[in-house]
Amino acid sequence: MSIDIDIDLSLEGKLDRRVRDLLAQMTLEEKIGQMTQAERLAFNDQNPVTDIRDYGLGSILSGGGSTPAGNTPEAWRKMVDEFQKLALSSRLGIPLVYGVDAVHGHNNVYGATVFPHNIGLGATRNPNLARLIGRATAEEVAATGAHWTFSPCLCSAQDERWGRTYESFGEEPEIPSSLASIIDGYQGNPGRPGTILATAKHFVGDGGTKLGTSTNPNYLLDQGDTQVSEAELRERHLPPFKAAIKRGVSTVMVSYSSWNGTKMHGQKYLLTDVLKKELGFKGFIISDWHAIEQIPGDYAYQVRTGINAGLDMIMVPFDYKKFISTLKAEVLAGNVPQSRIDDAVSRILREKLRFGLFEHPYSSDRYADDFGGKEHRAIARKAVQESLVLLKNEGDVLPLESHHTRVLVAGTNADDLGNQTGGWTITWQGKSGKNTVGTTILEGIRQTVDKNSTVEYVKTPTAEQSSGYDVGIVVVGESPYAEGVGDRRDLPLKAEDQTAVDNVCGATKCVVVVVSGRPLIVTDRVNKMNALVAAWLPGTEGQGVADVLFGRRNFKGKLPITWPKSVAQLPSHRGDANYDPLFPYGFGLKY
């Protein structure tokens, strides 16, 4: 008897009892409302914001770049609290959970600390650093009143041409499995101040999609088909999700991609039998943006297929009335069992209770002073330092001398914060230029050299302009993109960056720094370079790059992904029979 009492009075027992009590009071309409997530921009003259109350919506989100006017923490808190007030005024007063794409810091908000994208964190191989980043991000998200981040991405990226490569920690499952520690930072001890729900995404196999032919209109990689056996899916793509579940991750987001021709959002075997039953996932499954509509068939079929497969909450994101009415009709017609609805709603309510939303539904300014603050930026700077990978250092040109040195800085990414932060920064696709508060690599270099040194910047210098310097630092790379917009069939340097490398490296000792979301093809020019550094997408703290170039810190990073000689080698992985990259997985030099 005493054992039964102890179990009932445990935290888990109390949560389950509260869920059962609340579920018993809910109508079908209220349950379906909890399963609905709408984008904040869905509310307009045709869809009044009072629908949050009237339909009992369970969640609101801000998609990439969807921000309140002013885009300040104060504006965010005011907005979220206004939505929350409506949710609490519903019959049962169930709080909503507000979700954001805080995927490398609270990147939608101006002035936030923007950390290196995941591919850079993968180069650090540092689980404790990932945890610190998760905690700092959670505090900045909490400072804006939001409760939930759609992060981390735990995919194992298998082909660098994929536009989401930078969202991956690396190509081998060992790295995302290890860096799932970021979940501990996000979630902490759930319900305590500054903790938020995390999301393990995208379940499962989105990093392994197959590149089609140029005659196929869907020939690129994003949202494609992962054509592998179940054994390979389990070996290469499933382990990071196992790690996330062991850490108590609250939510799992399903991938747009397919597995052997069947959309993941309709895969009952993987979502219910594997994820929920076999792996014991207790949280709730969220769909991706409009994703159920990619299931073949009419809308009613898409809804019932997705829900019956195991989806618990649907990111609609706009036509929430259509979704609610359709699902209700499917339940009443017997096409979706009431037990499936009850399971989904129980999971959602449990996480809301676990994270204290019923007790503390409104925002707090407790972390307002920490938003974009020195401590968080120090963590980001450390992450940049540890993420840099030294690929070549001929003649020990690195570390550079900061005293009595004449430095030429060139390249398109030397003084461009937007290129440095990449996609998913302020807007969904990101944008070149001064997009937020931060330090460019050029600014970091200027702050590092002493007063007796000179630093001159010419984005694309001629051969004549490149002469007369002690060293040239050429910062090359990509412009921002996100998701399928970043899918490529080739990965060259920009033409102007090629010119900068040729002219600078032809005139003086040169260090080439690649700022990109993936390896770029530099094979034809690598012999011209004295040193080559992979800096990935370092975020707002460009000072971290200068710290390492000038010897304040040593290189620590190791390649989290294979650096190919040419795209003809892709996909290419450690252990392949003909593995012959320019730099192999795990490679990284020190001074």
Side-chain angles (χ1 to χ4, degrees):
M1 180 68 70
S2 62
I3 293 177
D4 291 339
I5 293 173
D6 288 341
I7 291 174
D8 186 55
L9 293 179
S10 69
L11 176 61
E12 296 297 313
K14 289 179 180 178
L15 285 177
D16 292 341
R17 185 173 60 197
R18 291 183 68 184
V19 168
R20 289 194 301 269
D21 290 346
L22 190 54
L23 192 69
Q25 303 175 55
M26 298 177 72
T27 65
L28 176 60
E29 290 82 0
E30 288 169 332
K31 292 174 181 178
I32 293 174
Q34 285 299 300
M35 298 172 66
T36 307
Q37 183 182 66
E39 154 67 37
R40 59 175 286 275
L41 294 175
F43 305 107
N44 49 43
D45 292 340
Q46 290 73 42
N47 301 309
V49 71
T50 50
D51 281 352
I52 294 172
R53 175 198 62 212
D54 298 340
Y55 286 87
L57 301 186
S59 181
I60 308 296
L61 84 149
S62 281
S66 177
T67 66
N71 198 13
T72 64
E74 295 79 12
W76 277 81
R77 290 197 301 272
K78 182 176 184 291
M79 174 189 71
V80 175
D81 283 349
E82 288 174 349
F83 290 151
Q84 191 69 281
K85 184 178 181 180
L86 287 165
L88 294 174
S89 67
S90 64
R91 185 179 75 91
L92 294 176
I94 300 173
L96 62 80
V97 57
Y98 200 99
V100 294
D101 284 294
V103 298
H104 62 138
H106 200 0
N107 42 265
N108 276 312
V109 188
Y110 184 85
T113 307
V114 178
F115 297 90
H117 268 296
N118 286 353
I119 195 70
L121 300 187
T124 72
R125 307 293 208 281
N126 189 337
N128 186 57
L129 179 60
R131 182 186 62 79
L132 291 174
I133 290 171
R135 177 58 185 171
T137 300
E139 291 177 355
E140 297 203 13
V141 170
T144 64
H147 317 108
W148 178 13
T149 177
F150 305 128
S151 172
C153 182
L154 297 178
C155 54
S156 301
Q158 303 298 292
D159 192 325
E160 290 89 324
R161 292 169 291 190
W162 184 37
R164 301 189 86 143
T165 295
Y166 65 76
E167 295 186 50
S168 170
F169 290 116
E171 71 182 42
E172 296 291 340
E174 62 192 15
I175 303 181
S177 295
S178 173
L179 298 188
S181 58
I182 197 171
I183 293 168
D184 298 340
Y186 289 142
Q187 298 192 164
N189 190 349
R192 298 289 179 86
T195 60
I196 60 174
L197 288 75
T199 307
K201 67 181 189 184
H202 304 88
F203 190 85
V204 60
D206 56 333
T209 52
K210 182 178 176 60
L211 184 69
T213 64
S214 58
T215 57
N216 183 340
N218 299 315
Y219 67 87
L220 294 178
L221 292 159
D222 197 49
Q223 304 182 22
D225 193 13
T226 301
Q227 300 173 15
V228 297
S229 67
E230 182 173 345
E232 184 174 344
L233 189 76
R234 286 177 174 270
E235 178 183 2
R236 185 165 290 277
H237 300 283
L238 195 60
F241 291 92
K242 291 182 179 179
I245 291 168
K246 287 181 180 179
R247 294 181 181 276
V249 70
S250 286
T251 70
V252 169
M253 182 181 288
V254 182
S255 175
Y256 279 117
S257 60
S258 302
W259 177 43
N260 294 329
T262 301
K263 279 292 179 181
M264 198 63 61
H265 278 74
Q267 289 270 8
K268 184 176 181 180
Y269 170 67
L270 291 174
L271 299 184
T272 296
D273 296 343
V274 174
L275 180 59
K276 290 183 175 179
K277 295 180 179 179
E278 179 184 329
L279 301 184
F281 174 58
K282 294 183 178 180
F284 66 90
I285 298 177
I286 176 77
S287 76
D288 210 333
W289 180 279
H290 275 304
I292 62 165
E293 295 172 38
Q294 293 189 5
I295 298 173
D298 62 24
Y299 190 67
Y301 179 83
Q302 293 166 342
V303 169
R304 68 174 175 265
T305 299
I307 299 299
N308 286 334
L311 300 178
D312 300 310
M313 182 181 283
I314 304 301
M315 189 183 294
V316 179
F318 291 102
D319 201 349
Y320 53 88
K321 294 178 184 178
K322 179 182 178 181
F323 168 73
I324 290 171
S325 63
T326 302
L327 181 53
K328 179 182 177 181
E330 290 297 300
V331 174
L332 294 177
N335 295 328
V336 176
Q338 182 68 54
S339 59
R340 175 76 272 274
I341 299 298
D342 288 349
D343 173 60
V345 178
S346 295
R347 290 169 175 271
I348 294 165
L349 293 177
R350 186 179 187 277
E351 293 308 307
K352 290 184 176 183
L353 286 163
R354 189 161 79 105
F355 278 81
L357 283 174
F358 282 78
E359 288 73 25
H360 304 286
Y362 290 112
S363 68
S364 165
D365 62 0
R366 174 170 179 164
Y367 294 101
D369 291 342
D370 299 306
F371 186 87
K374 291 182 179 179
E375 289 188 8
H376 292 174
R377 290 184 183 273
I379 296 170
R381 180 173 173 178
K382 178 179 175 62
V384 175
Q385 294 166 352
E386 295 194 13
S387 70
L388 301 184
V389 182
L390 180 57
L391 299 173
K392 180 180 180 181
N393 193 20
E394 183 180 81
D396 294 329
V397 66
L398 292 174
L400 299 175
E401 178 59 60
S402 61
H403 310 293
H404 300 284
T405 303
R406 190 169 184 224
V407 182
L408 171 65
V409 180
T412 59
N413 285 359
D415 193 32
D416 194 307
L417 195 62
N419 288 0
Q420 191 175 297
T421 52
W424 291 109
T425 309
I426 306 301
T427 63
W428 172 41
Q429 290 293 319
K431 185 178 181 180
S432 297
K434 185 73 172 178
N435 58 342
T436 189
V437 179
T439 303
T440 67
I441 294 172
L442 174 64
E443 290 167 343
I445 291 170
R446 284 180 166 151
Q447 292 169 17
T448 301
V449 300
D450 70 9
K451 62 181 180 180
N452 295 313
S453 297
T454 60
V455 176
E456 296 182 23
Y457 174 58
V458 183
K459 182 183 288 188
T460 311
T462 64
E464 182 178 0
Q465 290 174 315
S466 302
S467 62
Y469 295 91
D470 297 312
V471 66
I473 303 173
V474 190
V475 188
V476 301
E478 296 184 297
S479 300
Y481 55 82
E483 300 190 42
V485 176
D487 279 0
R488 299 285 186 269
R489 296 197 75 87
D490 202 358
L491 300 171
L493 293 179
K494 301 172 189 173
E496 53 195 317
D497 281 339
Q498 293 179 27
T499 299
V501 170
D502 291 343
N503 290 339
V504 176
C505 294
T508 187
K509 291 187 299 183
C510 73
V511 177
V512 175
V513 180
V514 182
V515 173
S516 64
R518 52 196 162 189
L520 301 180
I521 303 304
V522 296
T523 308
D524 58 344
R525 286 176 168 79
V526 70
N527 289 335
K528 300 179 180 181
M529 307 170 188
N530 296 98
L532 175 62
V533 176
W536 314 110
L537 295 171
T540 52
E541 307 314 299
Q543 181 65 55
V545 177
D547 291 337
V548 181
L549 294 181
F550 286 88
R552 292 182 176 181
R553 297 289 187 275
N554 205 334
F555 284 91
K556 289 188 175 182
K558 304 290 183 182
L559 283 181
I561 195 166
T562 297
W563 199 292
K565 290 179 178 176
S566 70
V567 293
Q569 293 181 320
L570 298 176
S572 179
H573 314 111
R574 180 183 63 178
D576 289 352
N578 299 315
Y579 191 62
D580 183 32
L582 186 62
F583 302 105
Y585 172 86
F587 182 82
L589 303 171
K590 294 186 178 182
Y591 292 138

